[in-house]
Amino acid sequence: MREREIASGVLFLLIAGVMGASLPYTDGGLHITLTVVGMCLSLFGACRSVLKSRKM
């Protein structure tokens, strides 16, 4: 179970990295906001997964 939580944390970090890499290519306004919100949610998910795996 712990390996699954760590793997999901790494997956969330990869998703946030891809979104961060695409940030310079997004159009203005709402697209940037949605990308930043998606990055924040992905980083939150990664932190939650790592903390959950440390608790086990």
Side-chain angles (χ1 to χ4, degrees):
M1 188 65 141
R2 182 176 183 202
E3 291 84 12
R4 183 182 297 170
E5 296 296 330
I6 292 172
S8 66
V10 169
L11 182 64
F12 278 125
L13 284 175
L14 285 173
I15 291 170
V18 168
M19 292 179 108
S22 69
L23 195 59
Y25 303 108
T26 56
D27 296 335
L30 184 63
H31 297 284
I32 291 178
T33 304
L34 291 175
T35 305
V36 170
V37 167
M39 285 172 49
C40 291
L41 289 174
S42 296
L43 290 173
F44 173 75
C47 292
R48 186 173 164 258
S49 295
V50 169
L51 290 175
K52 193 174 180 183
S53 72
R54 289 184 66 152
K55 187 189 295 186
M56 293 181 175

